[in-house]
Amino acid sequence: LSAALCATLCAALLTGCNEDDVERSMGKQTAAAVEKEYGTTRDPLLAEWVNVTGQRLVGQSFRQNIPYSFKVLNTDMVNAFAAPWGYIYVTRGMLDFAKSEDEVAFVMGHEIGHVAHRDSIKSVKKSLLFSLGSALLAGKNRDLSDLSEVGSGLLLLHYSREDERDADNAGAIHSYGAGFDPAGGEAFFTRLLTLEKGNRSSSLEH
């Protein structure tokens, strides 16, 4: 993400800018960067299935007043993640790794839960404000634009255990409500844990 975006986010969060505006900008910029880096699938049928399934799951979410998009990234990494403002991605590797539609539905329902609970924006607030506050407390007289490194790793922000539990609950609710078996989530993550223990996964996948 650009230095200008990070500086803008710092300023917006500190001046009480409308949170929806900040989240919308974050989502747009993050989505553009991700799609430029990995590219999206050229298989129109796969892309359509993922989007239709995702929209079906969104119908079970309490946050439906924003646009959601679901895309497949062209990478063999086993991963799925949600950028702010409803940009949700699954990787080709994740779809290959999944053994059923139920597993895919649970994973996407989990990511919808992160969007619905605004987990990204909460994490960004904490990390940006902490870093900025640390610089001020240390007596560093720095212009806001010089703090561009703050928040540069938006995609690698960690959610709390509570956030992850809430997203798991959302995954179960969304998938069940949309007609899928939530037990697919347990099967998926059990196999994923085995993959991670085998040190085959990348840092981004972790």
Side-chain angles (χ1 to χ4, degrees):
L1 296 178
S2 68
L5 173 62
C6 292
T8 299
L9 291 175
C10 285
L13 291 169
L14 289 172
T15 57
C17 179
N18 182 281
E19 192 170 276
D20 281 352
D21 291 339
V22 176
E23 187 180 1
R24 184 185 296 109
S25 177
M26 285 174 55
K28 183 177 179 180
Q29 296 294 332
T30 304
V34 167
E35 292 179 30
K36 181 179 180 180
E37 175 71 18
Y38 297 105
T40 56
T41 182
R42 295 182 180 179
D43 183 339
L45 294 179
L46 180 61
E48 177 69 8
W49 180 82
V50 167
N51 187 57
V52 168
T53 301
Q55 300 300 340
R56 182 174 160 188
L57 292 162
V58 168
Q60 306 302 315
S61 174
F62 67 83
R63 190 184 185 193
Q64 299 185 33
N65 63 333
I66 63 172
Y68 286 80
S69 69
F70 299 83
K71 295 184 180 181
V72 180
L73 295 180
N74 191 29
T75 170
D76 59 3
M77 288 192 299
V78 180
N79 199 17
F81 59 89
W85 204 249
Y87 294 91
I88 295 176
Y89 296 93
V90 297
T91 64
R92 179 171 41 78
M94 193 281 276
L95 294 176
D96 290 340
F97 182 77
K99 300 296 185 184
S100 69
E101 292 184 0
D102 295 324
E103 293 185 8
V104 176
F106 184 93
V107 171
M108 289 200 293
H110 174 105
E111 300 303 335
I112 292 169
H114 281 310
V115 173
H117 293 115
R118 299 175 182 259
D119 290 336
S120 292
I121 195 88
K122 287 190 298 183
S123 294
V124 167
K125 275 185 174 180
K126 291 176 183 178
S127 63
L128 292 181
L129 292 177
F130 178 80
S131 298
L132 183 58
S134 296
L136 294 174
L137 287 173
K140 297 177 182 178
N141 184 18
R142 302 170 64 183
D143 185 81
L144 187 60
S145 61
D146 293 330
L147 296 173
S148 59
E149 73 277 7
V150 178
S152 61
L154 291 179
L155 283 179
L156 299 178
L157 285 174
H158 293 288
Y159 296 135
S160 69
R161 289 183 181 274
E162 182 179 0
D163 288 341
E164 292 294 357
R165 282 196 296 269
D166 288 343
D168 281 342
N169 289 336
I173 292 169
H174 296 155
S175 57
Y176 180 79
F180 297 97
D181 183 358
E186 181 179 3
F188 179 87
F189 286 113
T190 297
R191 292 201 323 280
L192 186 63
L193 182 61
T194 301
L195 176 69
E196 290 183 347
K197 285 182 176 178
N199 295 321
R200 293 173 49 205
S201 53
S202 70
S203 59
L204 181 56
E205 287 172 304
H206 280 295

